[in-house]
Amino acid sequence: MESSSIMQDETYKDGYSSQIALESHLPLLNMDIPGLDLEIKYDKDTTMVFANVKPSEYFQGIDGRVVHEGFLAILLDEMILLLLEVLKLDERCNPLRLQYRFLKPVLIRSEIYIRAWLTKETDDIIDLQGEVENEMGKIVARIKAKYVQREL
């Protein structure tokens, strides 16, 4: 299996800090985590997939107030993969690079909007981007993805 490069190249600068509160995670270890029931939409005019969700406490970070950055990365990655599937490119490409930026924390139970779009396609490389936007219209996380096309 090919590994991809994941980089977090910006940290929180607005006085936000994670405080270790492991006790808040312990009750979740034996619980069934409900699905997100994401309703994904595709706009073929803009070649964009998009969805919205309100992450619950099941997806909390270490301090219990904000969404875990890994969960945001999963959402962005899934949107990229869904877009590749819609464009019928999923069976003939592999990830070359996934670059994440986490710009601001996302509060638990706040609505977020996720979208991904194709930026460039050549014979052998596909470039895509995605972002997560909070309720106030601010971009809180981004992904730049590069996939290599292979012959079938």
Side-chain angles (χ1 to χ4, degrees), residues 79-121:
M79 294 300 280
I80 293 290
L81 292 173
L82 287 168
L83 179 57
L84 288 169
E85 185 177 325
V86 166
L87 298 174
K88 300 194 182 340
L89 298 169
D90 59 321
E91 291 183 11
R92 59 185 178 118
C93 64
N94 290 337
L96 186 61
R97 180 175 53 232
L98 302 173
Q99 185 175 11
Y100 296 89
R101 293 185 71 196
F102 302 101
L103 306 170
K104 293 185 180 296
V106 174
L107 295 175
I108 294 294
R109 290 186 222 79
S110 65
E111 189 154 27
I112 55 175
Y113 308 92
I114 313 111
R115 58 186 161 261
W117 61 94
L118 178 71
T119 56
K120 184 179 175 185
E121 181 182 1

Side-chain angles (χ1 to χ4, degrees), residues 20-147:
I20 296 176
L22 266 162
E23 307 82 43
S24 67
H25 290 277
L26 293 178
L28 300 178
L29 295 178
N30 295 320
M31 298 178 78
D32 289 329
I33 297 175
L36 288 173
D37 297 323
L38 281 179
E39 184 179 330
I40 312 293
K41 296 179 181 164
Y42 173 66
D43 180 356
K44 62 181 171 182
D45 293 334
T46 60
T47 318
M48 183 181 292
V49 290
F50 53 97
N52 60 310
V53 67
K54 282 187 179 183
S56 70
E57 65 278 354
Y58 293 108
F59 307 105
Q60 70 186 353
I62 236 164
D63 77 350
R65 297 178 302 130
V66 299
V67 176
H68 192 283
E69 293 84 357
F71 177 68
L72 296 176
I74 289 169
L75 287 174
L76 287 165
D77 185 56
E78 282 299 311
M79 294 300 280
I80 293 290
L81 292 173
L82 287 168
L83 179 57
L84 288 169
E85 185 177 325
V86 166
L87 298 174
K88 300 194 182 340
L89 298 169
D90 59 321
E91 291 183 11
R92 59 185 178 118
C93 64
N94 290 337
L96 186 61
R97 180 175 53 232
L98 302 173
Q99 185 175 11
Y100 296 89
R101 293 185 71 196
F102 302 101
L103 306 170
K104 293 185 180 296
V106 174
L107 295 175
I108 294 294
R109 290 186 222 79
S110 65
E111 189 154 27
I112 55 175
Y113 308 92
I114 313 111
R115 58 186 161 261
W117 61 94
L118 178 71
T119 56
K120 184 179 175 185
E121 181 182 1
T122 66
D123 288 339
D124 54 351
I125 299 291
I126 302 168
D127 289 326
L128 307 110
Q129 290 186 25
E131 56 193 21
V132 177
E133 181 181 308
N134 67 14
E135 293 176 318
M136 297 176 289
K138 301 285 183 189
I139 304 303
V140 296
R142 288 192 169 115
I143 185 173
K144 285 185 180 180
K146 188 176 289 280
Y147 281 74

